[in-house]
Amino acid sequence: MTDRLQGKTILVTGAASGIGRTVATAFVAEGARVVFSDRDAAGAEGAAADAGGGAVGVHLDVTDEESVARAFAAVADRGWRLDVVVANAGVQLFGQDAPVADLDLDVWQRTLAVNLTGTFLTLKHAVRALSDRGGSIVVTGSPTGLNGEGRDFTAYSSSKAGVHGLVRTVAAAYADRGIRVNTVVPGYTETPLVTTISQDAASRAAIVGRTPLGRPGTPQDVVGVMVHLASDESSFSTGAIFRVDGGMTSL
């Protein structure tokens, strides 16, 4: 590690496991002071303790604006000023999400509540926290929001397409305040979120077969891009999509 984030304070949502935990831990190793946030408060606290470096864990349910506001206020109450926010929390309801004619309204609403409304609420409070001096917001997107990769996941694909549009809008609206907003698009990444695929040999082979680099992604694969976007190295990047998907969306 290179201490590229020395002196920065960063909040990561969905940081109790998966990509969020891996990225937040890497930020600590790069010298940042990191807030691991998750609706699983115990998981967030445990991940922060494991990371060391003064990291803290806080409860943050992205579907509840009061919870989001309290988490951001807790950072300020410590006397910390955020430089970077990573909006990473998300759900994918395997076995429930479906083609549109077969999709239950409840599944649609629960998916959008976390993935799209939750990202909206995170960005809303992130912009407020960063508006006095600028900073970087990084959002986790998905190939399903870019192409037909998620044709059987109507709610998830729609929520991620909405997230990509939200990022472009927020980036344009707040560029004059020095706030950069970018999307990172991991490909099929083996985390607890996708055990339904990773534990099914045929499903796993099918999705890996559509990835030109020929393997599934790991949370560590997105660390380099996330660190770059959190650092001052990305000071001229905003409203962009950074694909870390093994070439999946290049076809």
Side-chain angles (χ1 to χ4, degrees):
M1 293 298 180
T2 59
D3 291 334
R4 283 186 287 170
L5 303 179
Q6 190 69 42
K8 293 191 180 296
T9 300
I10 305 175
L11 182 146
V12 182
T13 70
S17 64
I19 289 174
R21 179 172 184 160
T22 298
V23 168
T25 300
F27 289 163
V28 173
E30 289 284 355
R33 182 166 54 186
V34 182
V35 180
F36 288 63
S37 72
D38 203 285
R39 64 182 177 184
D40 174 7
E45 291 167 1
D50 288 346
V56 299
V58 301
H59 176 260
L60 191 160
D61 180 350
V62 297
T63 68
D64 178 353
E65 184 163 15
E66 289 187 5
S67 176
V68 177
R70 282 195 302 270
F72 277 84
V75 176
D77 289 344
R78 288 177 172 269
W80 296 358
R81 298 179 65 183
L82 286 169
D83 301 288
V84 181
V85 174
V86 178
N88 168 75
V91 296
Q92 188 167 7
L93 300 180
F94 289 95
Q96 300 175 66
D97 205 347
V100 68
D102 303 313
L103 180 63
D104 289 342
L105 177 60
D106 175 67
V107 175
W108 170 269
Q109 291 174 329
R110 283 190 286 134
T111 302
L112 267 65
V114 175
N115 293 355
L116 185 52
T117 302
T119 301
F120 153 68
L121 290 173
T122 303
L123 267 59
K124 175 180 177 179
H125 290 272
V127 165
R128 291 179 176 182
L130 299 176
S131 61
D132 62 336
R133 60 176 185 161
S136 176
I137 300 172
V138 186
V139 179
T140 302
S142 169
T144 66
L146 297 173
N147 63 14
E149 189 63 36
R151 64 184 183 179
D152 295 326
F153 296 96
T154 302
Y156 183 79
S157 302
S158 299
S159 70
K160 288 300 187 177
V163 163
H164 295 169
L166 177 63
V167 166
R168 290 192 296 271
T169 301
V170 177
Y174 294 98
D176 61 352
R177 299 191 191 183
I179 297 175
R180 312 188 313 278
V181 193
N182 293 285
T183 306
V184 173
V185 177
Y188 167 64
T189 303
E190 294 195 328
T191 70
L193 182 69
V194 298
T195 54
T196 300
I197 295 175
S198 62
Q199 294 177 0
D200 182 290
S203 296
R204 184 179 187 272
I207 196 166
V208 171
R210 297 195 299 276
T211 304
L213 285 181
R215 67 167 177 86
T218 70
Q220 192 64 34
D221 287 323
V222 303
V223 164
V225 170
M226 291 279 196
V227 170
H228 171 71
L229 291 173
S231 77
D232 294 336
E233 297 169 3
S234 59
S235 62
F236 203 55
S237 297
T238 197
I241 294 174
F242 291 79
R243 307 179 193 215
V244 192
D245 62 4
M248 178 181 286
T249 57
S250 67
L251 300 179

